[in-house]
Each structure stands twice: as structure tokens, then as C-alpha cells.
Amino acid sequence: AGWKTQTVPTVDAPEDLILYETHIRDFSAFDSKLSSPSYRGKYKAFSETDSYGMTHLLKLKEAGLNTVHLLPTYDLSTINENTADAIDLYDSMKKVCALVEDLDVCNDDNAQSLTLNELLSSYEPSSDKAQSVMEQIRGSDNYNWGYDPYHYTVPEGSYAVNPEGFSRIIEFREMVMSLHSKGFRVIMDVVYNHTFASGLAEKSVLDKIVPHYYHRYDPVSGSLEMSTCCDNTATENAMMEKLMSDSLVTWAKQYKIDGFRFDLMGHQPKDAMLRARKAVKQVDNDTYFYGEGWNFGEVANNRQFVQASQTELAGTEIGTFTDRLRDAIRGGNFQTAK
């Protein structure tokens, strides 16, 4: 209700965007003032009024905040959407022990009566016990940053109270509309530079449609390029570019996402990014594109195409992060502060 008639906040210029980056699960995972415990870590938490998270956001709005940047919230590969098979902080240790074999703490009968959160909180903060437990269960818990794309154009189900069918679509739209109604623009973190898997792997999608087309391979060895951490996509290929563009248009048109932050944008052609932006502007003339314009890997220095990198995007109205300002303030990633 109200989706088609909602008012979307505007800014006079991209330079006026003041962004707050947040992770959908982290935003409300510990919030005890939600109207329902089932909303913890969910899209629904952004529709609350008196919760700690929304109260905090509204205070920041008074200080000038006008845009919420959501970490990846498309369909993720490594979070089990079936809550019976995924570990949450508030789950009982009995469930944890049933899901994770040979967990050391499960030999302690007293631990069986606790929740995972209670167990972790019982450890001395200076000890490594909590870390040890988390290392053993991390493959089964419901947390991930989200840079592991499964389906680019589907809302992640684990953030929905009901992940089945169209419910996740409705809950995602409720989140966006709620943030709009509170005066925030909504930007989405997107990762079109790689997929989580390829080939015949369980979470491979594109290779099962057209083998060896959607990914980038070394022209000499034929090996799959993985400089982005995972299986690099080949946005220089026409249909991979179209997949990215169509996906962005869908998020802008059907979910009213106001802008996009691109992970490792420099691994994509500048022309592909410009065409994608032009397509999105057909449905949302007020959109904003920005991302990581880093120059590295097999595409570095425009080796395969003119990149959407920091040094190439001047005048395009696509923004990039600046490592120069960052490093001047706090030093580079591999420098020791003095």
C-alpha cells in the first residue's frame, strides 16, 4: 500500500549526499526495542519507529544524514535461508551442537542450557574463547558481508521474516518505502565483478546457462581469472554487460533504489558503466553511481579495455572513492602508522 505514490527524497547535487553505510543484519541484530524479536536482522527492522536503530538514524538525520547505503542485499550464496539450518546469536546451544559436529564446547553439559549469545557473553573479553567458538561455527551462522553473489536481481531471503515466495519482495519494498518516508535516499551495494562460483559448482548459475561465456579467462593459460577474490565476470562481453544493466534497471524501477555503489568497479569497462547509467536514468533520472575505481589485476592499466577506474572517470558523473585522500589521512593499507 502506498508504493506507487510514495515520495522519494531528493538532493540538489551528488556532492550533497551524506551517506551512512550499514549492514542489514547488523543494524538490528542486538536491538531489544523492536516490536517483534523476529525482526532482528531483517528488512522489517527499518520500518520500526522507536527502536534503537531507527532512533539513531533519525538523530543522524538531524545532523545532516540524507542517504542510507545498504551493504549487499541481493541473493547471497553463503547464508542458509532456512532458519532451521542456520545459526543465529539467539539460538540455543543444543541447536548449535546439532548443526556443528565436534564443537569443543558441546562436551560441557552446562553450555547446553545457554543460548549462543549467553555462551559468548560468559567468556572473559580478553580471552580467545569466543573467537574459537565462532571460528568453528562460522560456516553455519547467518552472518556474511554479502560479497558472494548468487542471484544478482533477487532480494536476499535470510533478511526476510518469511523468505518464501514473494514475501521477501514485499518486505524489501517496505524497507525502502519506510526509509524514503523518513527522508532518506537508499543506495544499494552491488557486486557485478564476480560470482561466488562457476563451472558445475552447486552455487554456479551463469556457467550452467552458457558455459565459459560470463567469466574472464587468461588468454594464454585459459585459467579463470580470480583477482577480485572470486570468479571474475567478463563485463566486456555483451550479454554480461546486458545482465548488469538489466539488473540495475530492475532494482531502480521495481524496488526504487536511488543509487548504486559498485564493488571493484575498475574491473568493468568504462563504456559499460556509462551505458548502464544511461539505462537506469531512463527509469530514474536522479540516480547516482559510484564505486571502487581501483586499478589492479588482469585488467590493470587498461590492458583489456578502458576501465571504470579512478583516473578514467573524470567528467562522467560517476564517482569513485579516493585512496589518495584516505592514505594521506591514515596511511596506506600496507603502511605502519607512526
Side-chain angles (χ1 to χ4, degrees):
W3 176 254
K4 292 183 178 180
T5 58
Q6 66 178 291
T7 300
V8 179
T10 60
V11 293
D12 293 333
E15 292 83 1
D16 296 326
L17 290 170
I18 300 176
L19 300 112
Y20 182 98
E21 180 181 300
T22 189
H23 183 286
I24 288 179
R25 180 183 174 277
D26 281 0
F27 178 75
S28 57
F30 284 102
D31 202 326
S32 60
K33 291 186 70 176
L34 297 169
S35 58
S36 170
S38 66
Y39 294 172
R40 286 185 184 132
K42 308 294 184 181
Y43 301 128
K44 287 277 192 183
F46 290 88
S47 297
E48 294 286 287
T49 54
D50 299 323
S51 65
Y52 287 117
M54 290 311 300
T55 300
H56 177 63
L57 272 188
L58 292 174
K59 286 182 179 178
L60 290 176
K61 185 176 184 299
E62 293 176 5
L65 181 70
N66 57 31
T67 304
V68 173
H69 164 170
L70 301 170
L71 265 69
T73 178
Y74 47 70
D75 195 24
L76 308 177
S77 294
T78 53
I79 300 180
N80 197 320
E81 294 178 357
N82 182 356
T83 56
D85 296 325
I87 295 172
D88 184 79
L89 271 174
Y90 295 93
D91 281 340
S92 69
M93 284 304 299
K94 287 184 179 179
K95 175 183 174 181
V96 174
C97 293
L99 290 175
V100 181
E101 294 182 1
D102 301 323
L103 185 59
D104 298 339
V105 72
C106 294
N107 296 320
D108 182 353
D109 291 338
N110 293 327
Q112 298 282 329
S113 63
L114 303 175
T115 66
L116 174 60
N117 187 43
E118 289 170 340
L119 176 71
L120 298 175
S121 299
S122 71
Y123 295 137
E124 284 292 328
S126 59
S127 78
D128 61 357
K129 291 183 178 179
Q131 181 181 0
S132 175
V133 170
M134 291 308 302
E135 277 299 310
Q136 293 177 75
I137 70 171
R138 61 186 302 189
S140 301
D141 71 7
N142 62 1
Y143 177 77
N144 195 298
W145 270 16
Y147 295 88
D148 54 338
Y150 188 22
H151 298 109
Y152 288 124
T153 322
V154 179
E156 165 59 21
S158 70
Y159 299 146
V161 174
N162 178 10
E164 297 300 324
F166 56 78
S167 293
R168 69 175 73 188
I169 296 173
I170 293 175
E171 291 184 42
F172 188 101
R173 284 184 170 188
E174 287 175 342
M175 170 186 67
V176 173
M177 190 164 69
S178 173
L179 287 169
H180 282 162
S181 71
K182 293 175 173 63
F184 296 108
R185 292 174 64 78
V186 182
I187 280 177
M188 183 175 171
D189 208 318
V190 289
V191 185
Y192 295 107
N193 63 80
H194 64 247
T195 58
F196 177 72
S198 61
L200 296 177
E202 178 189 359
K203 293 297 177 71
S204 172
V205 176
L206 300 179
D207 259 349
K208 294 177 182 178
I209 300 171
V210 183
H212 307 300
Y213 175 81
Y214 288 95
H215 292 88
R216 185 179 299 130
Y217 298 88
D218 185 289
V220 177
S221 69
S223 59
L224 180 65
E225 298 285 9
M226 301 183 70
S227 57
T228 66
C229 84
C230 306
D231 301 349
N232 293 3
T233 55
T235 332
E236 62 271 23
N237 291 349
M239 296 308 290
M240 182 60 214
E241 176 188 332
K242 186 177 189 301
L243 173 59
M244 176 179 74
S245 181
D246 289 352
S247 175
L248 292 164
V249 168
T250 299
W251 287 114
K253 183 178 181 179
Q254 304 295 345
Y255 296 93
K256 297 191 183 299
I257 296 297
D258 305 307
F260 300 92
R261 178 271 191 194
F262 291 82
D263 180 65
L264 300 182
M265 184 171 61
H267 267 60
Q268 294 161 190
K270 173 182 176 179
D271 286 347
M273 287 295 299
L274 291 174
R275 285 189 287 266
R277 180 173 178 268
K278 182 178 179 181
V280 172
K281 284 178 73 69
Q282 296 298 309
V283 299
D284 177 15
N285 190 52
D286 200 28
T287 192
Y288 183 59
F289 279 26
Y290 66 103
E292 294 180 310
W294 312 139
N295 176 35
F296 71 97
E298 74 281 0
V299 298
N301 303 316
N302 300 326
R303 191 176 304 151
Q304 300 196 31
F305 44 75
V306 177
Q307 301 161 258
S309 60
Q310 195 179 74
T311 55
E312 298 292 347
L313 289 175
T316 64
E317 298 185 354
I318 296 177
T320 66
F321 293 105
T322 167
D323 51 343
R324 291 161 177 80
L325 284 176
R326 178 199 68 196
D327 293 353
I329 294 170
R330 58 93 166 160
N333 284 337
F334 305 105
Q335 296 174 11
T336 301
K338 294 182 179 179

